[in-house]
Amino acid sequence: MASPTPPSTLTTSGSPSQAPAEKPSSPPVNILPSPLAQVYSYAHPPVLLGLCAWRFEGLVADPVRELLADLPWLAALQIAYVMLCLPPAGTVSAEAGSATDEEKKKTPRSPAGPSLRPGKPGYRRKHSSGKSSWASAWAKLMPAFLSLSLTSLLATPFIAVLLVLFGAPLTTHNAETLLCAAHMALLSATGLVYVHGVDASVWKEVWGISRPADAVWGSALGTGLGAWFGAIPIPLDWDRPWQAFPITILTGAYIGYAVGSLISRTPLLYGKRIQFAPEPAEEGEKKTN
């Protein structure tokens, strides 16, 4: 006689013990496919490094004056970069767009396509290119200025507090700290806000350092790591004028931005995530063994 099936092995499709499906993570950000975007996306990091190297002597001589004078140029370059090279928040990525185009090509068309008006064969509808171009420019301009505003109002004070917590002077060099934070915010946060907006799920991944590698996330992470390593020469007893706060920190942030933006687009890192713990499947296998 067959033994009854244990209750623990009985499963139903509508069992309440099943975990709810998690929201899928947003994919890595692709640079826009236009030739101008592809070329400038590689030229932008060297341009910023050139600006930093060109103004380095002035930065050593008078950090506050130089940082304040370079801030509008950095903001203009970052706005130009995001508008030319990145998809604004809420738009479909280039890969998704190409996939839909291929599907449209595969689907057969009827002899009387949607471009023909009924009753007037051979007459195609005229699209107003002027309105579409203005709409396209406005769709890029609004997120760009929104990202610049949120970066200035939110990211700059937040990074300034982080700089103080990590050792920046609290009672002195307040102008240097604030201006250094403004430069770091423009480098790291402008692209993130422009591409992801205020999506809470994406920003949880940003704070958890679990975003898939792409040009935007790589540049932001590189800015932070570069500033971290840039602080190393400050306490050394070399007695060099360029060791003063925040010169090395800001120089490291610029170098980290350029390196992170470029290497995160390589096939070795693109789309990969930083793993701090083993996957749940691996943990289960260890328990069973």
Side-chain angles (χ1 to χ4, degrees):
M1 181 177 179
S3 60
T5 306
S8 59
T9 60
L10 295 176
T11 57
T12 58
S13 59
S15 175
S17 61
Q18 293 180 354
E22 296 183 357
K23 183 180 178 180
S25 174
S26 58
V29 178
N30 293 317
I31 301 296
L32 295 177
S34 66
L36 178 60
Q38 292 293 324
V39 171
Y40 187 70
S41 64
Y42 286 106
H44 182 69
V47 168
L48 291 183
L49 286 181
L51 175 65
C52 182
W54 179 42
R55 309 297 293 180
F56 187 76
E57 292 184 1
L59 181 63
V60 175
D62 191 349
V64 174
R65 180 181 178 182
E66 192 61 39
L67 289 175
L68 190 60
D70 292 344
L71 197 60
W73 293 102
L74 176 61
L77 287 172
Q78 288 295 89
I79 290 298
Y81 169 69
V82 297
M83 291 183 64
L84 288 175
C85 303
L86 300 178
T91 58
V92 183
S93 63
E95 290 183 357
S98 61
T100 53
D101 291 341
E102 291 178 359
E103 292 177 359
K104 289 179 180 180
K105 290 179 181 179
K106 291 179 181 179
T107 55
R109 289 186 176 181
S110 59
S115 60
L116 299 179
R117 288 188 178 181
K120 294 183 178 181
Y123 179 81
R124 293 184 178 272
R125 293 181 180 178
K126 296 182 180 179
H127 299 279
S128 55
S129 58
K131 292 182 179 180
S132 61
S133 61
W134 274 107
S136 177
W138 183 256
K140 289 178 175 290
L141 194 61
M142 278 300 295
F145 281 105
L146 179 63
S147 63
L148 184 62
S149 301
L150 292 179
T151 297
S152 303
L153 297 176
L154 299 179
T156 298
F158 179 77
I159 294 178
V161 172
L162 286 181
L163 288 175
V164 173
L165 292 177
F166 279 99
L170 178 59
T171 58
T172 61
H173 297 79
N174 295 325
E176 289 89 339
T177 301
L178 186 61
L179 289 171
C180 179
H183 278 253
M184 291 179 60
L186 285 174
L187 290 173
S188 60
T190 306
L192 287 172
V193 178
Y194 181 82
V195 170
H196 301 299
V198 292
D199 190 348
S201 61
V202 174
W203 284 100
K204 286 180 181 178
E205 293 180 344
V206 170
W207 299 125
I209 317 181
S210 58
R211 282 288 306 156
D214 53 38
V216 178
W217 171 235
S219 60
L221 187 60
T223 301
L225 291 177
W228 176 282
F229 286 108
I232 294 176
I234 294 179
L236 301 179
D237 55 350
W238 295 344
D239 296 330
R240 296 291 189 269
W242 51 262
Q243 287 180 259
F245 173 82
I247 298 171
T248 58
I249 292 177
L250 195 62
T251 304
Y254 272 83
I255 296 174
Y257 174 91
V259 173
S261 175
L262 293 175
I263 68 171
S264 59
R265 297 174 60 184
T266 60
L268 183 64
L269 295 179
Y270 179 77
K272 304 292 180 60
R273 299 173 186 268
I274 300 175
Q275 296 290 344
F276 293 101
E279 296 290 339
E282 297 178 0
E283 294 179 354
E285 290 178 1
K286 291 180 179 178
K287 290 180 181 179
T288 54
N289 294 334

